[in-house]
Amino acid sequence: MNERPLNPWYSDETPSFLEHLYRGELRWDLISRFPRQDPADREAGDRALTAFSDLLRERVDPVEVDATGVLPPELPEALAAGGFDRLQVPPSLGGLGLSALNTFRVVEAAAGWSMPTAQILSVQNTIGVGPFLPALPPGPLRDTVEARTRSGVFSGNGDTEPQGAANHKRFTTATPTEDGAAFLLNGEKVFTGNAPIAAMVNVTATVREGDSERVRLFFVDTDSPGFRVSAHHEFMGLKGFPSGALTFEDVRVPAHMMMVEGEHNRRLTPELYRRLVVGRVHTIGAPSLAFSRLCLEWARDFVNRRQIDERPLGSYDEIQRNVADTLSEVFALETLTQWCLLAEDQVPANPGFEQVAAKNLTSLTAWRVVERTMALYGAEGYETERSKARRGVPPVPLERAFREARGLRISGGVDFMMDIWMAHKAVFWCYYPLPANAEAIEAEPDLSCLDEADLTEANLDHLRFAVTGTKTFARTCLELARRYPDQDELFEQERLLIPLTQIGNELLLMSLVLGRTSSLGTSGPQSTQDLADVYCAQARLRIADAWRRHHAADSPAASRAAGQWLSGERWADLLPDMPGDASPAGK
Ligand SMILES: Cc1cc2nc3c(=O)[nH]c(=O)nc-3n(C[C@H](O)[C@H](O)[C@H](O)COP(=O)(O)OP(=O)(O)OC[C@H]3O[C@@H](n4cnc5c(N)ncnc54)[C@H](O)[C@@H]3O)c2cc1C
């Protein structure tokens, strides 16, 4: 029986809301006094934002950068001079010493203006080398990283390899030299953010230790002999973002530049995983919120200047719903951000699982918002900002935002893959071995939180749904764990797992939205009851759809048809007149 919470970041003092939800219990006590940013901290963030916005507008023309794919060469230096490359680093090392939420706000502001600039900042400030400082013990590695940080150099993380990031194995190898003083790194990395401007990168590599192989993290100077940026990537969006492929040929790295961590059997080292989980709130969550807020503003601008059949566009039912959905989703993303970045100090709760869930919740919400706003704008949505400027209509960069938002569903992990991993590592972590609270999962739901919640009737109904839905979710997981004593057999059925993770995510964000709304009360200018109602009504539709997909997952026809196509056995006649190569690029 599973007696202990298995979330590695869990402690009794800082419970995990999402882990409890996975186990069938909606902990209203944790979310009903919803965390908010302290006013003094907000002011500190405002000051940094003012200085940052000035720099951004002076130095970066986002339209020009998008058209040419070139950022101003002096930009990294200007960012470092303002301390923006060290947002959370203490002032003693030249940093701004900002809180996590203010760091998020700076990245969000950057994304709202220039996504490649936001990406440079978020990589640097969350998964570059400086962010590892708090985890490094005293010694030569810490001294070196501290010195690099103080001198204001850029850095990045090289983990993805040409063979695919989803592989458990890392094909880059680190072989100890005979005298044990160093390692020789050999291999390739791709899509390493900031690589072309980095003085140092942290890189995963496989080390043979006794009879086993283990992934370790190495801090590598980019001027080391044998290190090369072998290609520069260009993307659908992010034009100008310095992203590179790396080649390592017998790169000698002093032994002390390997981060010493305990035994583990993961694709990523424990500390890199922790940095990535928090980092994605910034690299993915902050741009997601920025694009969603922009769309909210753009939607009002467009709707208020349009008449159809002599009626204001905003008077049509479907348009009002379009705008209300975006409004409620901006509120939901803000809510999730506050929870992910403030709950640890203020509740206190451990938001580690929620930070993982935030990757998909934020990027998929932003994608819905941008896509919906593009539909609202009609042809003007699909038209580029330059074309609009030429003919004198407001040059809203919706087409650019659309390209940027799509990438957020891929970088840091493809969305459906994140759902699969979340099912393995978080949801069913609570069910293998079978949980000790099986009886509680099977008992009637405890609806006493409805008496405490400060919610309208409509929102009380949503809360009732969330509490009972949490039970249904947990009962389904329990039933699956009993039906499949061997978890690997269950994990083979990915189409069954993906909707389950999505249901967990939806229940999470519904609950947080209701918790925050309850803490703001039912009346007065602060009340957000309508936004919560709109958000939860849509979330319930998505949950109903996910349950249908979960129940329809068993499809032998799909695996038969895919197998026949992939092996070349059948269906060639479905490509009768295709021209062969899809692109002449590179010829
Ligand atoms: C803009 C951008 C910035 C990036 N920045 C960085 C960076 O700074 N550092 C870095 O290291 N990487 C970076 N990446 C890489 C990114 O994290 C990976 O592209 C992403 O994790 C997907 O990995 P992959 O492209 O190697 O696809 P793969 O892992 O090869 O996967 C290919 C496809 O197979 C699917 N798949 C894989 N395994 C399974 C399975 N078991 N079941 C079902 N489907 C499966 C995947 O979901 C995907 O659809 C960046 C990528 C982008 C686009």
CSV table of all heavy atoms in Angstrom, one decimal, residues 26-34 446-456 459-460 463-464 467 514-522 529:
chain,number,residue,atom,x,y,z
A,26,LEU,N,-10.3,17.5,-3.0
A,26,LEU,CA,-10.1,18.9,-3.4
A,26,LEU,C,-9.9,19.7,-2.1
A,26,LEU,O,-10.9,19.9,-1.3
A,26,LEU,CB,-11.4,19.4,-4.2
A,26,LEU,CG,-11.2,20.8,-4.9
A,26,LEU,CD1,-12.1,20.8,-6.1
A,26,LEU,CD2,-11.4,22.0,-4.0
A,27,ARG,N,-8.7,20.2,-1.9
A,27,ARG,CA,-8.3,20.8,-0.6
A,27,ARG,C,-8.7,22.3,-0.7
A,27,ARG,O,-7.8,23.2,-0.9
A,27,ARG,CB,-6.8,20.6,-0.4
A,27,ARG,CG,-6.4,19.2,0.0
A,27,ARG,CD,-6.7,18.9,1.5
A,27,ARG,NE,-6.1,19.9,2.4
A,27,ARG,CZ,-4.9,19.7,3.0
A,27,ARG,NH1,-4.1,18.7,2.7
A,27,ARG,NH2,-4.4,20.6,3.8
A,28,TRP,N,-10.0,22.6,-0.4
A,28,TRP,CA,-10.4,24.0,-0.5
A,28,TRP,C,-9.7,24.8,0.5
A,28,TRP,O,-9.5,26.0,0.3
A,28,TRP,CB,-12.0,24.0,-0.2
A,28,TRP,CG,-12.6,25.3,-0.3
A,28,TRP,CD1,-13.1,26.0,0.7
A,28,TRP,CD2,-12.8,26.1,-1.5
A,28,TRP,NE1,-13.6,27.2,0.2
A,28,TRP,CE2,-13.5,27.3,-1.1
A,28,TRP,CE3,-12.5,25.9,-2.9
A,28,TRP,CZ2,-13.8,28.3,-2.0
A,28,TRP,CZ3,-12.8,26.9,-3.8
A,28,TRP,CH2,-13.5,28.1,-3.4
A,29,ASP,N,-9.3,24.2,1.7
A,29,ASP,CA,-8.6,25.0,2.7
A,29,ASP,C,-7.3,25.6,2.2
A,29,ASP,O,-6.9,26.6,2.7
A,29,ASP,CB,-8.3,24.1,3.9
A,29,ASP,CG,-7.5,22.9,3.5
A,29,ASP,OD1,-7.8,22.2,2.5
A,29,ASP,OD2,-6.5,22.6,4.3
A,30,LEU,N,-6.7,24.9,1.2
A,30,LEU,CA,-5.4,25.5,0.7
A,30,LEU,C,-5.6,26.6,-0.3
A,30,LEU,O,-4.8,27.5,-0.4
A,30,LEU,CB,-4.7,24.3,-0.1
A,30,LEU,CG,-4.2,23.2,0.8
A,30,LEU,CD1,-3.5,22.1,-0.1
A,30,LEU,CD2,-3.2,23.7,1.9
A,31,ILE,N,-6.8,26.6,-1.0
A,31,ILE,CA,-6.9,27.6,-2.1
A,31,ILE,C,-7.9,28.7,-1.8
A,31,ILE,O,-8.0,29.7,-2.6
A,31,ILE,CB,-7.3,26.9,-3.4
A,31,ILE,CG1,-8.6,26.2,-3.3
A,31,ILE,CG2,-6.2,26.0,-3.9
A,31,ILE,CD1,-9.1,25.6,-4.6
A,32,SER,N,-8.6,28.6,-0.7
A,32,SER,CA,-9.7,29.6,-0.5
A,32,SER,C,-9.1,31.0,0.0
A,32,SER,O,-9.8,32.0,-0.1
A,32,SER,CB,-10.7,29.1,0.5
A,32,SER,OG,-10.1,28.7,1.7
A,33,ARG,N,-8.0,31.0,0.7
A,33,ARG,CA,-7.3,32.3,1.0
A,33,ARG,C,-6.2,32.4,-0.1
A,33,ARG,O,-5.1,32.1,0.1
A,33,ARG,CB,-6.7,32.3,2.4
A,33,ARG,CG,-7.8,32.5,3.5
A,33,ARG,CD,-7.1,32.5,4.8
A,33,ARG,NE,-6.2,31.5,5.0
A,33,ARG,CZ,-6.5,30.2,5.4
A,33,ARG,NH1,-7.7,29.8,5.5
A,33,ARG,NH2,-5.5,29.3,5.5
A,34,PHE,N,-6.6,32.9,-1.2
A,34,PHE,CA,-5.8,32.8,-2.4
A,34,PHE,C,-4.6,33.8,-2.3
A,34,PHE,O,-4.8,34.9,-1.9
A,34,PHE,CB,-6.6,33.1,-3.7
A,34,PHE,CG,-6.0,32.4,-4.9
A,34,PHE,CD1,-6.2,31.1,-5.1
A,34,PHE,CD2,-5.2,33.1,-5.7
A,34,PHE,CE1,-5.6,30.5,-6.2
A,34,PHE,CE2,-4.6,32.5,-6.8
A,34,PHE,CZ,-4.8,31.2,-7.1
A,446,ASP,N,-17.0,14.9,0.0
A,446,ASP,CA,-17.3,15.8,1.1
A,446,ASP,C,-17.5,17.2,0.5
A,446,ASP,O,-16.6,17.8,0.0
A,446,ASP,CB,-16.1,15.8,2.1
A,446,ASP,CG,-16.2,16.9,3.1
A,446,ASP,OD1,-17.3,17.5,3.2
A,446,ASP,OD2,-15.2,17.1,3.9
A,447,LEU,N,-18.8,17.6,0.6
A,447,LEU,CA,-19.2,18.9,0.0
A,447,LEU,C,-19.2,20.1,1.0
A,447,LEU,O,-19.8,21.1,0.7
A,447,LEU,CB,-20.5,18.8,-0.7
A,447,LEU,CG,-20.5,17.8,-1.9
A,447,LEU,CD1,-21.9,17.5,-2.3
A,447,LEU,CD2,-19.8,18.5,-3.1
A,448,SER,N,-18.6,19.9,2.2
A,448,SER,CA,-18.7,20.9,3.2
A,448,SER,C,-18.1,22.3,2.7
A,448,SER,O,-18.4,23.3,3.2
A,448,SER,CB,-18.0,20.5,4.5
A,448,SER,OG,-16.7,20.1,4.3
A,449,CYS,N,-17.2,22.2,1.8
A,449,CYS,CA,-16.6,23.5,1.3
A,449,CYS,C,-17.6,24.4,0.7
A,449,CYS,O,-17.4,25.6,0.7
A,449,CYS,CB,-15.4,23.3,0.4
A,449,CYS,SG,-15.9,22.5,-1.2
A,450,LEU,N,-18.7,23.9,0.2
A,450,LEU,CA,-19.7,24.7,-0.4
A,450,LEU,C,-20.3,25.7,0.7
A,450,LEU,O,-20.8,26.8,0.3
A,450,LEU,CB,-20.9,23.9,-0.9
A,450,LEU,CG,-20.5,23.0,-2.1
A,450,LEU,CD1,-21.7,22.1,-2.5
A,450,LEU,CD2,-20.0,23.8,-3.3
A,451,ASP,N,-20.3,25.3,2.0
A,451,ASP,CA,-20.8,26.2,3.0
A,451,ASP,C,-19.9,27.3,3.3
A,451,ASP,O,-20.3,28.4,3.8
A,451,ASP,CB,-21.0,25.4,4.3
A,451,ASP,CG,-22.0,24.2,4.1
A,451,ASP,OD1,-22.9,24.4,3.2
A,451,ASP,OD2,-21.8,23.2,4.8
A,452,GLU,N,-18.6,27.1,3.0
A,452,GLU,CA,-17.6,28.1,3.3
A,452,GLU,C,-17.3,29.1,2.2
A,452,GLU,O,-16.8,30.2,2.4
A,452,GLU,CB,-16.2,27.5,3.7
A,452,GLU,CG,-16.3,26.6,4.9
A,452,GLU,CD,-15.2,25.5,4.9
A,452,GLU,OE1,-14.2,25.7,4.2
A,452,GLU,OE2,-15.5,24.4,5.5
A,453,ALA,N,-17.6,28.6,1.0
A,453,ALA,CA,-17.2,29.4,-0.2
A,453,ALA,C,-18.1,30.6,-0.4
A,453,ALA,O,-19.3,30.6,-0.2
A,453,ALA,CB,-17.3,28.5,-1.5
A,454,ASP,N,-17.4,31.7,-0.8
A,454,ASP,CA,-18.1,33.0,-1.0
A,454,ASP,C,-18.4,33.1,-2.5
A,454,ASP,O,-17.6,33.8,-3.2
A,454,ASP,CB,-17.3,34.2,-0.5
A,454,ASP,CG,-18.1,35.4,-0.3
A,454,ASP,OD1,-19.3,35.4,-0.6
A,454,ASP,OD2,-17.5,36.4,0.2
A,455,LEU,N,-19.3,32.3,-3.0
A,455,LEU,CA,-19.6,32.2,-4.4
A,455,LEU,C,-21.0,32.4,-4.8
A,455,LEU,O,-21.9,32.1,-4.0
A,455,LEU,CB,-19.1,30.8,-4.9
A,455,LEU,CG,-17.6,30.5,-4.8
A,455,LEU,CD1,-17.3,29.1,-5.1
A,455,LEU,CD2,-16.8,31.4,-5.8
A,456,THR,N,-21.3,32.8,-6.0
A,456,THR,CA,-22.7,32.9,-6.5
A,456,THR,C,-23.2,31.5,-6.7
A,456,THR,O,-22.5,30.5,-6.7
A,456,THR,CB,-22.7,33.6,-7.8
A,456,THR,OG1,-21.9,32.9,-8.7
A,456,THR,CG2,-22.3,35.1,-7.7
A,459,ASN,N,-21.5,29.6,-9.4
A,459,ASN,CA,-20.1,29.2,-9.1
A,459,ASN,C,-20.1,28.1,-8.0
A,459,ASN,O,-19.3,27.2,-8.0
A,459,ASN,CB,-19.3,30.4,-8.7
A,459,ASN,CG,-18.9,31.2,-10.0
A,459,ASN,OD1,-18.7,30.6,-11.0
A,459,ASN,ND2,-18.7,32.5,-9.8
A,460,LEU,N,-21.1,28.1,-7.2
A,460,LEU,CA,-21.3,27.0,-6.2
A,460,LEU,C,-21.5,25.7,-7.0
A,460,LEU,O,-21.0,24.7,-6.6
A,460,LEU,CB,-22.4,27.3,-5.2
A,460,LEU,CG,-22.1,28.3,-4.1
A,460,LEU,CD1,-23.3,28.6,-3.3
A,460,LEU,CD2,-20.9,27.8,-3.2
A,463,LEU,N,-18.3,24.6,-8.2
A,463,LEU,CA,-17.5,24.0,-7.2
A,463,LEU,C,-17.9,22.6,-6.8
A,463,LEU,O,-17.1,21.7,-6.6
A,463,LEU,CB,-17.5,24.9,-5.9
A,463,LEU,CG,-16.6,24.5,-4.7
A,463,LEU,CD1,-15.2,24.3,-5.2
A,463,LEU,CD2,-16.7,25.5,-3.6
A,464,ARG,N,-19.3,22.4,-6.8
A,464,ARG,CA,-19.8,21.1,-6.5
A,464,ARG,C,-19.3,20.1,-7.6
A,464,ARG,O,-18.9,19.0,-7.3
A,464,ARG,CB,-21.4,21.1,-6.5
A,464,ARG,CG,-22.0,19.9,-6.1
A,464,ARG,CD,-23.6,20.0,-6.0
A,464,ARG,NE,-24.0,21.0,-5.1
A,464,ARG,CZ,-24.6,22.2,-5.5
A,464,ARG,NH1,-24.7,22.5,-6.8
A,464,ARG,NH2,-25.0,23.1,-4.6
A,467,VAL,N,-15.6,19.2,-7.0
A,467,VAL,CA,-15.4,18.3,-5.9
A,467,VAL,C,-15.8,16.9,-6.3
A,467,VAL,O,-15.1,15.9,-6.1
A,467,VAL,CB,-16.2,18.7,-4.6
A,467,VAL,CG1,-16.1,17.6,-3.5
A,467,VAL,CG2,-15.7,20.0,-4.1
A,514,LEU,N,-11.9,29.3,-8.9
A,514,LEU,CA,-13.0,29.4,-7.9
A,514,LEU,C,-12.4,29.8,-6.5
A,514,LEU,O,-13.1,30.7,-5.8
A,514,LEU,CB,-13.8,28.1,-7.7
A,514,LEU,CG,-14.6,27.7,-9.0
A,514,LEU,CD1,-15.1,26.3,-8.9
A,514,LEU,CD2,-15.8,28.7,-9.1
A,515,GLY,N,-11.3,29.3,-6.2
A,515,GLY,CA,-10.6,29.7,-4.9
A,515,GLY,C,-10.3,31.2,-4.9
A,515,GLY,O,-10.6,31.9,-3.9
A,516,ARG,N,-9.7,31.7,-6.0
A,516,ARG,CA,-9.4,33.1,-6.0
A,516,ARG,C,-10.7,34.0,-6.0
A,516,ARG,O,-10.7,35.0,-5.4
A,516,ARG,CB,-8.6,33.4,-7.3
A,516,ARG,CG,-8.1,34.8,-7.4
A,516,ARG,CD,-7.2,35.0,-8.6
A,516,ARG,NE,-6.9,36.4,-8.8
A,516,ARG,CZ,-6.6,36.9,-10.0
A,516,ARG,NH1,-6.5,36.2,-11.1
A,516,ARG,NH2,-6.3,38.2,-10.1
A,517,THR,N,-11.7,33.5,-6.8
A,517,THR,CA,-12.9,34.3,-6.9
A,517,THR,C,-13.6,34.3,-5.5
A,517,THR,O,-14.1,35.4,-5.1
A,517,THR,CB,-13.8,33.6,-7.9
A,517,THR,OG1,-13.2,33.7,-9.2
A,517,THR,CG2,-15.2,34.3,-8.0
A,518,SER,N,-13.6,33.2,-4.8
A,518,SER,CA,-14.2,33.2,-3.5
A,518,SER,C,-13.5,34.2,-2.6
A,518,SER,O,-14.1,35.0,-1.8
A,518,SER,CB,-14.2,31.8,-2.9
A,518,SER,OG,-14.6,31.8,-1.6
A,519,SER,N,-12.1,34.2,-2.7
A,519,SER,CA,-11.4,35.1,-1.8
A,519,SER,C,-11.6,36.6,-2.1
A,519,SER,O,-11.4,37.5,-1.3
A,519,SER,CB,-9.9,34.8,-1.8
A,519,SER,OG,-9.3,35.2,-3.0
A,520,LEU,N,-12.1,36.9,-3.3
A,520,LEU,CA,-12.4,38.3,-3.7
A,520,LEU,C,-13.9,38.7,-3.4
A,520,LEU,O,-14.3,39.8,-3.6
A,520,LEU,CB,-12.1,38.5,-5.2
A,520,LEU,CG,-10.6,38.3,-5.6
A,520,LEU,CD1,-10.5,38.3,-7.1
A,520,LEU,CD2,-9.8,39.4,-5.0
A,521,GLY,N,-14.7,37.7,-3.0
A,521,GLY,CA,-16.1,38.0,-2.6
A,521,GLY,C,-17.1,38.0,-3.7
A,521,GLY,O,-16.8,37.9,-4.9
A,522,THR,N,-18.4,38.2,-3.3
A,522,THR,CA,-19.5,38.1,-4.3
A,522,THR,C,-19.9,39.5,-4.8
A,522,THR,O,-20.6,39.6,-5.7
A,522,THR,CB,-20.7,37.4,-3.7
A,522,THR,OG1,-20.9,37.9,-2.4
A,522,THR,CG2,-20.6,36.0,-3.8
A,529,GLN,N,-16.9,37.0,-10.1
A,529,GLN,CA,-17.8,35.9,-10.2
A,529,GLN,C,-18.2,35.5,-11.6
A,529,GLN,O,-18.2,34.4,-12.0
A,529,GLN,CB,-19.1,36.1,-9.4
A,529,GLN,CG,-18.8,36.4,-7.9
A,529,GLN,CD,-18.5,35.2,-7.0
A,529,GLN,OE1,-18.8,34.1,-7.4
A,529,GLN,NE2,-17.9,35.3,-5.9
